[in-house]
């Protein structure tokens, strides 16, 4: 089977890690991949994270979109058709790639403009689509002006319409899409958690730090709610609770106005580097207003590092299932969150709970589930 998939080179992000886990597993099967990267940079080197894949099996294509920043395009457009017209050249390039490579199926990760562009080209080439949800676009743009919200909503809805099957990483994600985006029940959908790499699930020695260390990892955006992490840190300092705090992000510090100087800001790391980082921390904090899943806390907790996640995150469902409900909280009450941080920081995760988590998040089992869906869709004619 030949699978086309949209890829990102960013280490900070669930799409990259989930795609790598899937490709690493299916790479050993009778599969070939067409990697599609639409990149807004003027200059870029080949992505190091995909260099270990043989080009005869992993055919990687990079399309430059730096001359068409999505926010600029949407601001000028009156509707989704004008956005489509602005990207007509890019859509044609992607369509030619698909025409030349002839994939059996396309796995679209996420709901932003890149998978939207690819979905249009795929529909024109009559290639079946599986949509793998990562982020609900309509939720991500809730604070934008009405016209922009309407355009992005149309973008997301059109991808749902074009997909033959949809994979949701959590029940909360499916519920939100059905109730707030399409306002109907979605058929031919599956709830499958994101796979976690064996790098984070294989046995390793954990030396719990005596020092109090809290950290957050991710891109800085409204929906990720990292301002609450900053406020939480300041609240702990006011209470004389000595600790260190880190924020791993690919965002430019100049745009993060509220970050305290007492928080160490670190750049994105390789996955091996991220593993070492998790193991040096006492608590990983994820205060998202909404998140379809949450790979970061699942990677950390599989290593035995305690986490504290928002009850609006998909991974909260799994934490509750394995008996770690104390690691799930509403971030609306900063006082309650502060006390929970003090309780959890430096705690150990019981082996029984870790084993249950690893069984649920086993990348081999999850990858086979996704593979079965791809096979069934590839056989369909559209």
């Amino acid at each position: 089977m030949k699978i086309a998939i949209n890829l990102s080179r960013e280490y900070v992000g669930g799409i990259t890690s989930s795609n790598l886990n899937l490709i690493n597993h299916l790479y050993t099967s009778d599969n070939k991949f067409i990697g599609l990267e639409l990149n807004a940079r003027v200059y870029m080197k080949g992505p190091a994270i995909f260099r270990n894949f043989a080009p005869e099996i992993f055919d990687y294509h990079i399309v430059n979109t730096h001359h068409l920043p999505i926010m600029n395009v949407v601001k000028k457009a009156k509707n989704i058709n004008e956005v489509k017209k602005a990207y007509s050249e890019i859509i044609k390039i992607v369509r030619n790639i698909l025409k030349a490579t002839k994939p059996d199926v396309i796995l679209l990760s996420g709901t932003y403009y890149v998978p939207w562009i690819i979905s249009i080209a795929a529909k024109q080439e009559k290639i079946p689509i599986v949509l793998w949800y990562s982020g609900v676009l309509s939720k991500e743009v809730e604070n934008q002006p009405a016209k922009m919200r309407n355009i992005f909503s149309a973008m997301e809805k059109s991808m749902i319409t074009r997909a033959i099957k949809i994979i949701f990483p959590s029940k909360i994600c499916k519920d939100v899409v059905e109730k707030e985006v399409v306002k109907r029940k979605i058929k031919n959908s599956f709830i499958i958690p994101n796979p976690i790499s064996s790098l984070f699930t294989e046995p390793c020695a954990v030396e719990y730090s005596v020092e109090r260390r809290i950290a957050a990892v991710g891109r800085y955006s409204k929906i990720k709610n990292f301002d609450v992490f900053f406020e939480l840190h300041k609240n702990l300092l006011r209470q004389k609770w000595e600790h260190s705090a880190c924020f791993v992000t690919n965002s430019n510090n100049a745009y993060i106005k509220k970050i305290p100087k007492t928080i160490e800001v670190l750049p994105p790391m390789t996955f091996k580097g991220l593993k070492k980082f998790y193991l040096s921390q006492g608590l990983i904090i994820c205060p998202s207003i909404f998140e379809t899943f949450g790979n970061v806390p699942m990677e950390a907790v599989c290593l035995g590092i305690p986490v504290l996640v928002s009850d609006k995150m998909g991974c909260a469902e799994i934490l509750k299932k394995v008996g770690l409900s104390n690691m799930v909280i509403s971030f609306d009450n900063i006082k309650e969150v502060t006390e929970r941080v003090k309780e959890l920081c430096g705690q150990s995760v019981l082996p029984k709970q870790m084993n249950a988590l690893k069984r649920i998040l086993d990348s081999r089992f999850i990858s086979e589930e996704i593979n079965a869906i791809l096979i069934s869709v590839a056989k369909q004619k559209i």
Side-chain angles (χ1 to χ4, degrees):
M1 180 170 58
K2 193 180 283 189
I3 306 162
I5 185 169
N6 62 299
L7 297 172
S8 166
R9 64 181 67 208
E10 302 294 344
Y11 282 108
V12 176
I15 288 179
T16 303
S17 57
S18 294
N19 282 345
L20 269 175
N21 293 333
L22 178 68
I23 293 168
N24 275 320
H25 179 75
L26 298 185
Y27 187 76
T28 57
S29 306
D30 187 23
N31 292 309
K32 292 185 178 180
F33 292 90
I34 298 103
L36 299 169
E37 178 184 356
L38 275 61
N39 198 304
R41 293 184 178 93
V42 176
Y43 167 77
M44 72 204 85
K45 296 180 74 173
I49 53 178
F50 302 118
R51 285 179 187 160
N52 59 310
F53 299 119
E56 62 270 19
I57 298 175
F58 189 80
D59 188 10
Y60 199 87
H61 300 260
I62 302 172
V63 180
N64 192 293
T65 64
H66 77 277
H67 57 301
L68 293 166
I70 180 61
M71 297 309 287
N72 290 359
V73 172
V74 172
K75 283 176 183 176
K76 293 177 183 177
K78 294 178 182 177
N79 51 51
I80 191 69
N81 289 330
E82 291 191 4
V83 178
K84 181 180 176 182
K85 185 177 179 181
Y87 283 103
S88 58
E89 180 190 9
I90 304 298
I91 293 169
K92 184 179 179 181
I93 292 170
V94 174
R95 187 176 180 182
N96 287 338
I97 293 170
L98 297 178
K99 192 178 293 184
T101 56
K102 295 181 173 57
D104 299 303
V105 62
I106 291 186
L107 178 61
L108 291 180
S109 300
T111 56
Y112 201 26
Y113 78 106
V114 168
W116 172 73
I117 287 172
I118 298 170
S119 75
I120 295 170
K123 189 72 174 179
Q124 291 172 345
E125 287 302 308
K126 297 184 178 180
I127 302 169
I129 296 169
V130 174
L131 177 59
W132 192 4
Y133 246 86
S134 178
V136 175
L137 184 55
S138 299
K139 295 287 286 183
E140 295 264 0
V141 299
E142 279 181 335
N143 296 302
Q144 297 292 343
K147 187 199 77 171
M148 296 181 72
R149 290 201 309 271
N150 291 337
I151 289 175
F152 282 123
S153 177
M155 190 178 284
E156 184 170 6
K157 288 175 184 176
S158 69
M159 280 187 282
I160 292 171
T161 302
R162 293 186 191 111
I164 291 178
K165 293 186 178 180
I166 300 175
I167 300 169
F168 293 104
S170 61
K171 185 178 183 298
I172 190 174
C173 176
K174 183 180 180 183
D175 288 347
V176 165
V177 173
E178 289 183 337
K179 292 174 185 176
E180 300 182 24
V181 181
V182 295
K183 297 178 173 59
R184 61 176 172 82
K185 292 291 182 182
I186 296 176
K187 298 178 181 179
N188 294 322
S189 64
F190 306 84
I191 297 174
I192 302 174
N194 287 350
I196 299 301
S197 169
S198 59
L199 178 70
F200 301 102
T201 59
E202 61 193 11
C204 66
V206 181
E207 294 183 8
Y208 296 101
S209 176
V210 177
E211 298 178 40
R212 295 166 175 168
R213 295 176 179 170
I214 64 173
V217 180
R219 60 185 171 86
Y220 182 82
S221 66
K222 186 78 174 177
I223 203 165
K224 295 290 186 180
N225 205 27
F226 285 124
D227 286 345
V228 168
F229 174 69
F230 305 154
E231 185 57 39
L232 178 63
H233 164 66
K234 288 189 288 186
N235 205 34
L236 290 167
L237 290 180
R238 282 193 292 267
Q239 295 184 14
K240 308 294 184 185
W241 195 77
E242 294 297 326
H243 68 286
S244 62
C246 288
F247 182 34
V248 179
T249 184
N250 58 355
S251 303
N252 188 326
N253 296 353
Y255 297 102
I256 307 174
K257 298 177 182 178
K258 297 181 181 178
I259 185 166
K261 293 180 180 178
T262 47
I263 290 182
E264 183 181 9
V265 180
L266 300 173
M269 307 171 183
T270 64
F271 297 113
K272 287 184 178 179
L274 202 53
K275 178 178 180 178
K276 290 180 181 178
F277 176 77
Y278 290 146
L279 290 170
S280 71
Q281 300 302 309
L283 182 68
I284 302 298
I285 300 173
C286 304
S288 293
I289 294 169
F290 173 81
E291 198 159 339
T292 56
F293 189 66
N295 285 38
V296 164
M298 292 296 94
E299 290 166 353
V301 78
C302 280
L303 291 169
I305 304 304
V307 299
L308 186 58
V309 311
S310 164
D311 57 358
K312 303 298 190 297
M313 294 177 67
C315 63
E317 298 168 5
I318 292 173
L319 289 171
K320 290 176 182 177
K321 188 180 292 186
V322 300
L324 293 172
S325 298
N326 63 325
M327 295 187 183
V328 179
I329 197 169
S330 167
F331 276 78
D332 293 339
N333 189 324
I334 196 72
K335 289 183 179 180
E336 288 184 11
V337 176
T338 301
E339 293 308 309
R340 190 70 61 86
V341 167
K342 294 176 183 177
E343 292 172 16
L344 289 175
C345 188
Q347 270 194 16
S348 59
V349 181
L350 295 176
K352 179 181 178 181
Q353 295 166 326
M354 285 177 61
N355 290 335
L357 273 169
K358 291 175 182 179
R359 282 195 297 271
I360 294 171
L361 301 174
D362 189 310
S363 63
R364 296 165 300 177
F365 175 70
I366 291 172
S367 295
E368 284 303 325
E369 284 189 293
I370 295 172
N371 191 38
I373 293 169
L374 293 173
I375 290 170
S376 69
V377 170
K379 292 178 181 177
Q380 299 189 33
K381 294 187 182 294
I382 59 172

